[in-house]
Amino acid sequence: RALLKELRSATVLVGDPAAKRALSTKEVIEYNGETPKLPHGLGNVVVLAHDLAQPSRIAAATTSGGRAAPKLLCVIDARSFLDEWESVDALPEKVREAGKKDLRAHLSEKKPCEILAECVESADVIALSHSEAADADELEMLEAMLRELNPCAAVVRRSGAGGGGRAAEGSTAGEDAEGRLLQALERGGGAEPTARVEKNGCWQAVV
């Protein structure tokens, strides 16, 4: 929602009915297949993928027809990421069973830590929601871990569910809080890699 506020207009494709109900914008289309099909002739298109969608499959679907490579914005909760990352538990049975019946939930058989790793490693920009509520030492540890997992991504702190924000130390996302997510996406991520890195991604995945 923070990204949508920064865009003057956008068509949003969502893979989750709950996400569609939560968005106030009129241009919201729910996709029901394994991957979204982008409408032609539109300007800004944001894909809000299913929580268990595989970023590489969303990217492949959105680059067909000669379109420019999409950008992936990965949003994670700074308060709980480290606990979920270290957990070896599987997804709750109810979530797994629902995922088996949903073509959009590509990663329903994976553990939460595996899902988080795939989304983080594919991202161009990583937004840390609720960063103001996270322990300061743990937040620094989290940012260091994210930069190690994906040195090419920009890491952006956001307050609450994504309102205001600032770049984490070492990020190249800019200094102004306003427009930070959009600026980071336009710049393509954080530091330039020392060697060419093949990366996949979609516009937006919420974990």
Side-chain angles (χ1 to χ4, degrees):
R1 279 185 268 184
L3 175 62
L4 293 176
K5 287 180 180 179
E6 295 174 13
L7 291 167
R8 292 186 177 180
S9 63
T11 298
V12 186
L13 305 182
V14 300
D16 186 340
K20 181 179 179 180
R21 291 192 294 269
L23 295 173
S24 58
T25 176
K26 296 180 180 179
E27 298 296 325
V28 178
I29 304 170
E30 181 182 352
Y31 68 90
N32 298 307
E34 291 187 19
T35 55
K37 294 182 179 180
L38 299 189
H40 292 285
L42 296 177
N44 296 318
V45 179
V46 177
V47 177
L48 180 56
H50 191 284
D51 288 1
L52 302 179
Q54 186 173 28
S56 59
R57 295 183 67 173
I58 301 296
T62 56
T63 53
S64 61
R67 294 185 180 90
K71 303 291 185 180
L72 171 61
L73 169 62
C74 175
V75 183
I76 62 177
D77 193 325
R79 302 167 299 178
S80 59
F81 179 88
L82 290 176
D83 290 336
E84 294 171 352
W85 177 263
E86 294 172 355
S87 174
V88 295
D89 296 336
L91 288 170
E93 183 177 355
K94 184 178 180 180
V95 175
R96 293 201 308 273
E97 291 302 316
K100 292 178 182 179
K101 302 175 183 178
D102 195 331
L103 296 174
R104 300 166 293 190
H106 314 136
L107 304 175
S108 59
E109 295 298 325
K110 298 282 189 178
K111 295 181 179 179
C113 58
E114 296 173 318
I115 298 170
L116 290 173
E118 183 149 1
C119 291
V120 167
E121 291 173 353
S122 299
D124 293 287
V125 177
I126 303 169
L128 305 180
S129 67
H130 301 284
S131 60
E132 82 290 349
D135 178 81
D137 291 337
E138 290 188 356
L139 189 59
E140 291 185 6
M141 184 188 306
L142 171 58
E143 290 170 346
M145 177 189 297
L146 294 173
R147 282 193 284 269
E148 184 175 348
L149 288 169
N150 187 346
C152 299
V155 179
V156 181
R157 296 183 186 181
R158 307 294 293 189
S159 60
R166 69 178 184 83
E169 184 179 354
S171 170
T172 60
E175 296 303 326
D176 296 329
E178 296 299 325
R180 183 165 314 287
L181 293 179
L182 186 56
Q183 290 173 7
L185 286 166
E186 289 174 342
R187 296 178 185 183
E192 291 294 327
T194 54
R196 187 170 185 271
V197 179
E198 294 292 340
K199 296 190 351 180
N200 295 312
C202 58
W203 259 104
Q204 183 171 358
V206 177
V207 179

